[in-house]
Amino acid sequence: MRRRAFGYGSGLALPLLVLLTGVRAQNSRQAPSSGSVAFTDVSKAAGLAFVHVNGASAQKFLVETMGSGGLFFDVDGDGWVDLFLVDGGSLAAARQDAAARHRLYRNRGDGTFADATAGSGIAHREYGMGACAADYDNDGRVDLYVTGVGGNRLYRNGGGGSFRDATIAAGVAASGWSTSCAFADFDKDGFVDLFVTRYVDVGAGTGNNRFCGDPARRLRVYCHPLNYRPLSSVLYHNNGNGTFTDVSVDAGISSSGGNGLGVVIADYDDDGWPDIFVANDSLPNTLYRNDGHGRFHEGALLAGVAVANDGKPRAGMGTDFGDYDGDGRLDLIVTNHEFETTTLFRNLGRGLFVDATSESGLALPTLPFVGFGAAFFDYDNDGRLDVAIANGHVVDNTAQVRAGSKYAQRRLLFHNAGGRRFVEEGGSAGSGFAVEKVGRALAVADVDNDGDLDLLVTSNGQSADLLRNDGGNRNNALLVRLVGKRSNRDAIGARVVMTVGGTTQVREIKAGSSYLGQNDTRAHFGLGTAFREVQAGAIITIVEGEGITRRVAFRQF
């Protein structure tokens, strides 16, 4: 299999790698403290009128408490990131199920979004869970994949804001209960493949629902996932002609894992091939190492990421890869249930990780929370990756089970203080972190193209929130968009390495990550006040084999 190359500058061509040797700042600004950055909830002002339909019922179907998903992607290629929100439905009430509707919002570029669902061709059919997006046919338009219970949907982008349901023709409907998904070019043939995590076997419709709780008190709760048979993940190979082939068995995916919720794909061992990490709920996590010959080898236990440092599996939900300590290696974060803490695995190199949760400062602050969506991102542009986590319990009547326990929970924001330490600063991070909601997906993007990263947080049975970053752009930044020619069009899997002021930052382009969602596929670099060759304060486009083809200055507010 050929190794695909991305090049920047004169004659540079390395496998899936873009090198930027420095940046020149537009001006020299004082680096702000993390406390000067606030996230403002601008959902209503932006025109987002979405409330998730979870179909909560007395029967306590497990699916009711697990959604909803959401993602950022540029639907129309205008350089402004749009967003998509996945609705659930109802297994108990047909009228409520009919009220569920996925929403596509187009970014107007002025801080507001237009509901572009009508006429888009995107329809709500199955009980929805999550989504991911990539240009699977390399026609220059980003396509959409939506997961759910009882089948998934692939929508081919036809341009002009319209999509066509290509699920059956492409062969990617799947079955059972699918959760997160991600696109990646696993064999580097220039076409992105599709990975889908699946959860547990709840049967078709309402047929396998069980009673969990305390019969004596007539107290029913949502069942623990271990009450059901786990489902394995699915890997679809892109045939390059608009169709996919299920290669889960031949690739070694179907023989291990189960209870999959979160997924993230990146080259953790630096061998040039994209690998897959799946966060499993109450079973050991799975780490599929890509051998470059069409096979994956599960090695989470040997790598040190299957269980926490006490040797016990956690209730893994959200996950992300990112180099938080600046050593050039991709570290791993996994959110878990209350009293388990979020787990941070530091990459030691040679395919090995160590549980660094306690030393990082993440353990105690995350202990009381049920974590779902999580992301590494540099919210204050100081060059170090911070962490955001969406929290919310899975038992809606948890207060009846344990006094003091809450279904709705606040979000967490961890500032990277350097020295491999984080400090939780959500309490001083503005209105976006002040509320308590039943958080699920969390996605990151610069929606207003002003140089700092904003957040989308979805909630179960509640409204989705768009959190605008106010103050993060007091430091310089650079946003890098990659366009593939020999490689896949979206450059999924490409690694961008930037050296700034003697410090190296690493980003990999990912299409789908964490829990039920996806971040902006443009690579964001916080630059502080460093300067050198490539001018900061801009969005640059790098085309494979051509170098920088476009530069657009950030908006100034």
Side-chain angles (χ1 to χ4, degrees), residues 283-285 300-301 304-314 343 345 355:
L283 291 176
N285 301 316
L301 187 61
V305 296
V307 296
N309 57 6
D310 60 0
K312 297 179 181 179
R314 297 291 193 252
T343 308
F345 296 105
D355 189 330

Side-chain angles (χ1 to χ4, degrees), residues 413-430:
L413 181 66
F414 288 93
H415 178 250
N416 191 330
R420 294 177 175 155
R421 294 283 300 177
F422 290 91
V423 178
E424 207 283 301
E425 298 193 346
S428 59

Side-chain angles (χ1 to χ4, degrees), residues 98-113:
R101 188 163 67 102
H102 305 317
R103 298 288 183 88
L104 176 65
Y105 287 97
R106 185 178 59 80
N107 192 334
R108 291 191 177 106
D110 60 359
T112 67
F113 289 77

Side-chain angles (χ1 to χ4, degrees), residues 6-295:
F6 245 92
Y8 162 70
S10 177
L12 177 62
L14 297 176
L16 293 170
L17 179 65
V18 177
L19 299 178
L20 297 174
T21 56
V23 299
R24 180 174 66 252
Q26 289 180 301
N27 50 59
S28 181
R29 293 176 284 191
Q30 181 74 27
S33 66
S34 61
S36 64
V37 178
F39 286 87
T40 305
D41 186 345
V42 296
S43 310
K44 291 183 179 179
L48 303 187
F50 173 86
V51 178
H52 174 244
V53 177
N54 62 7
S57 66
Q59 294 97 314
K60 300 290 184 185
F61 298 109
L62 184 56
V63 298
E64 297 169 353
T65 193
M66 299 304 292
S68 63
L71 61 78
F72 289 111
F73 73 128
D74 189 353
V75 173
D76 47 10
D78 63 355
W80 295 91
V81 178
D82 311 299
L83 63 90
F84 179 76
L85 297 169
V86 181
D87 213 347
S90 175
L91 300 185
R95 179 176 294 182
Q96 194 174 19
D97 189 58
R101 188 163 67 102
H102 305 317
R103 298 288 183 88
L104 176 65
Y105 287 97
R106 185 178 59 80
N107 192 334
R108 291 191 177 106
D110 60 359
T112 67
F113 289 77
D115 189 334
T117 312
S120 68
I122 299 172
H124 179 277
R125 292 187 175 89
E126 295 78 20
Y127 191 107
M129 290 300 297
C132 54
D135 183 1
Y136 77 90
D137 51 2
N138 288 340
D139 66 353
R141 296 184 291 264
V142 183
D143 310 297
L144 177 68
Y145 189 74
V146 183
T147 66
V149 180
N152 305 332
R153 297 281 168 174
L154 176 64
Y155 292 100
R156 183 176 180 271
N157 190 335
S162 67
F163 290 80
R164 178 177 58 85
D165 190 334
T167 311
I168 302 303
V172 291
S175 62
W177 182 352
S178 298
T179 49
S180 300
C181 61
F183 287 97
D185 186 1
F186 293 113
D187 56 359
K188 300 185 192 175
D189 64 354
F191 291 91
V192 289
D193 310 299
L194 174 62
F195 186 88
V196 182
T197 63
R198 296 193 302 169
Y199 193 36
V200 295
D201 182 8
V202 293
T206 61
N208 195 25
N209 197 39
R210 302 182 181 185
F211 180 91
C212 295
D214 185 354
R217 296 170 58 193
R218 296 183 180 178
L219 176 64
R220 187 168 191 168
V221 300
Y222 290 111
C223 287
H224 192 281
L226 293 183
N227 285 280
Y228 298 97
R229 181 177 66 88
L231 295 175
S232 59
S233 298
V234 181
L235 175 61
Y236 291 104
H237 175 259
N238 190 330
N239 300 319
N241 60 0
T243 69
F244 292 77
T245 300
D246 185 340
V247 295
S248 308
V249 174
D250 291 342
I253 295 296
S254 64
S255 60
S256 60
N259 289 12
L261 287 179
V263 65
V264 62
I265 297 172
D267 180 13
Y268 79 93
D269 54 359
D270 301 324
D271 67 352
W273 296 95
D275 311 296
I276 308 165
F277 176 82
V278 178
N280 292 318
D281 189 356
S282 303
L283 291 176
N285 301 316
T286 44
L287 179 64
Y288 299 104
R289 185 182 62 81
N290 188 340
D291 70 2
H293 300 287
R295 293 280 301 176

